[in-house]
Protein backbone atom coordinates (compact mmCIF):
# COMPACT_ATOMS: atom_id res chain seq x y z
CA UNK A 1 0.00 0.00 0.00
CA UNK A 2 1.45 3.36 -0.96
CA UNK A 3 1.48 6.43 1.23
CA UNK A 4 -1.45 8.10 -0.56
CA UNK A 5 -3.62 5.03 0.03
CA UNK A 6 -2.62 5.15 3.71
CA UNK A 7 -3.59 8.83 3.85
CA UNK A 8 -7.07 7.86 2.63
CA UNK A 9 -7.26 5.15 5.32
CA UNK A 10 -6.22 7.71 7.95
CA UNK A 11 -8.95 10.09 6.78
CA UNK A 12 -11.55 7.30 6.85
CA UNK A 13 -10.48 6.25 10.33
CA UNK A 14 -10.70 9.80 11.68
CA UNK A 15 -14.10 10.37 10.06
CA UNK A 16 -15.63 7.30 11.71
CA UNK A 17 -18.06 8.04 14.55
CA UNK A 18 -16.24 5.38 16.60
CA UNK A 19 -12.89 7.21 16.37
CA UNK A 20 -11.96 8.59 19.80
CA UNK A 21 -10.89 12.17 20.44
CA UNK A 22 -7.28 11.25 21.21
CA UNK A 23 -6.89 9.44 17.90
CA UNK A 24 -8.53 12.31 16.01
CA UNK A 25 -6.01 14.66 17.65
CA UNK A 26 -3.11 12.42 16.61
CA UNK A 27 -4.44 12.37 13.05
CA UNK A 28 -4.69 16.15 13.00
CA UNK A 29 -1.16 16.48 14.39
CA UNK A 30 0.08 14.15 11.67
CA UNK A 31 -1.62 16.15 8.92
CA UNK A 32 -0.35 19.40 10.43
CA UNK A 33 3.21 18.03 10.35
CA UNK A 34 3.01 16.62 6.81
CA UNK A 35 5.85 17.86 4.66
CA UNK A 36 7.82 19.21 7.62
CA UNK A 37 10.76 17.92 9.62
CA UNK A 38 8.24 16.79 12.28
CA UNK A 39 6.31 14.46 9.99
CA UNK A 40 8.15 11.29 11.04
CA UNK A 41 7.66 12.03 14.75
CA UNK A 42 3.98 12.78 14.14
CA UNK A 43 3.67 9.50 12.19
CA UNK A 44 5.29 7.61 15.09
CA UNK A 45 2.86 9.26 17.51
CA UNK A 46 -0.09 8.42 15.27
CA UNK A 47 0.96 4.79 15.03
CA UNK A 48 1.40 4.60 18.80
CA UNK A 49 -2.08 6.05 19.33
CA UNK A 50 -3.61 3.60 16.85
CA UNK A 51 -1.90 0.70 18.63
CA UNK A 52 -3.32 1.94 21.92
CA UNK A 53 -6.84 2.52 20.62
CA UNK A 54 -7.56 -0.36 18.24
CA UNK A 55 -10.07 -2.64 19.93
CA UNK A 56 -9.59 -6.36 20.15
CA UNK A 57 -12.62 -8.60 19.97
CA UNK A 58 -11.75 -9.82 23.46
CA UNK A 59 -12.25 -6.24 24.69
CA UNK A 60 -15.19 -5.53 22.39
CA UNK A 61 -17.41 -8.37 23.62
CA UNK A 62 -17.57 -7.32 27.29
CA UNK A 63 -18.13 -3.69 26.27
CA UNK A 64 -20.91 -4.70 23.89
CA UNK A 65 -22.66 -6.51 26.76
CA UNK A 66 -22.19 -3.68 29.25
CA UNK A 67 -24.55 -1.11 30.73
CA UNK A 68 -22.43 1.57 29.06
CA UNK A 69 -23.27 0.09 25.66
CA UNK A 70 -26.96 0.27 26.58
CA UNK A 71 -26.53 3.94 27.56
CA UNK A 72 -24.74 4.72 24.30
CA UNK A 73 -26.80 2.66 21.83
CA UNK A 74 -30.09 2.14 23.65
CA UNK A 75 -31.40 -1.27 24.66
CA UNK A 76 -32.19 -2.52 21.16
CA UNK A 77 -29.03 -1.07 19.64
CA UNK A 78 -26.89 -2.61 22.36
CA UNK A 79 -28.58 -5.97 21.81
CA UNK A 80 -27.69 -5.85 18.10
CA UNK A 81 -24.19 -4.61 18.89
CA UNK A 82 -23.63 -7.44 21.39
CA UNK A 83 -24.88 -10.02 18.89
CA UNK A 84 -22.48 -8.63 16.28
CA UNK A 85 -19.56 -8.70 18.73
CA UNK A 86 -20.42 -12.28 19.62
CA UNK A 87 -20.50 -13.19 15.90
CA UNK A 88 -17.07 -11.63 15.40
CA UNK A 89 -15.69 -13.63 18.32
CA UNK A 90 -17.30 -16.87 17.12
CA UNK A 91 -15.91 -16.27 13.64
CA UNK A 92 -12.38 -15.97 14.96
CA UNK A 93 -11.96 -12.24 14.38
CA UNK A 94 -9.16 -10.65 16.36
CA UNK A 95 -10.24 -7.01 16.05
CA UNK A 96 -13.34 -4.87 16.01
CA UNK A 97 -14.68 -4.20 12.51
CA UNK A 98 -16.01 -0.68 13.12
CA UNK A 99 -15.31 2.26 10.85
CA UNK A 100 -12.28 3.30 12.90
CA UNK A 101 -10.72 -0.07 13.74
CA UNK A 102 -10.90 -1.53 10.22
CA UNK A 103 -8.78 1.19 8.58
CA UNK A 104 -6.60 1.38 11.71
CA UNK A 105 -5.65 -2.25 11.24
CA UNK A 106 -4.74 -1.60 7.60
CA UNK A 107 -2.63 1.39 8.63
CA UNK A 108 -0.76 -0.73 11.17
CA UNK A 109 -0.11 -3.44 8.56
CA UNK A 110 1.54 -0.84 6.33
CA UNK A 111 2.97 1.55 8.90
CA UNK A 112 6.45 1.41 7.35
CA UNK A 113 5.14 3.45 4.41
CA UNK A 114 4.22 6.25 6.84
CA UNK A 115 7.61 6.15 8.47
CA UNK A 116 9.59 6.16 5.23
Amino acid sequence: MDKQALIEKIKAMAAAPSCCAELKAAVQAYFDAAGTAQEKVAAQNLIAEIEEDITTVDNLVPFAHSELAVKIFGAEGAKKFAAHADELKAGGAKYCDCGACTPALEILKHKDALLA
Side-chain angles (χ1 to χ4, degrees), residues 42-101:
Q44 291 168 335
N45 292 339
L46 174 59
I47 291 164
E49 189 65 36
I50 291 170
E51 290 173 339
E52 184 176 319
D53 294 343
I54 195 165
T55 302
T56 65
V57 168
D58 288 339
N59 287 332
L60 181 67
V61 170
F63 168 66
H65 288 275
S66 72
E67 285 300 314
L68 180 57
V70 172
K71 288 180 184 177
I72 293 170
F73 303 112
E76 194 58 36
K79 184 178 177 182
K80 290 178 185 177
F81 179 46
H84 179 69
D86 292 341
E87 287 174 15
L88 288 174
K89 176 92 173 163
K94 301 288 183 214
Y95 293 96
C96 173
D97 66 348
C98 75
C101 288

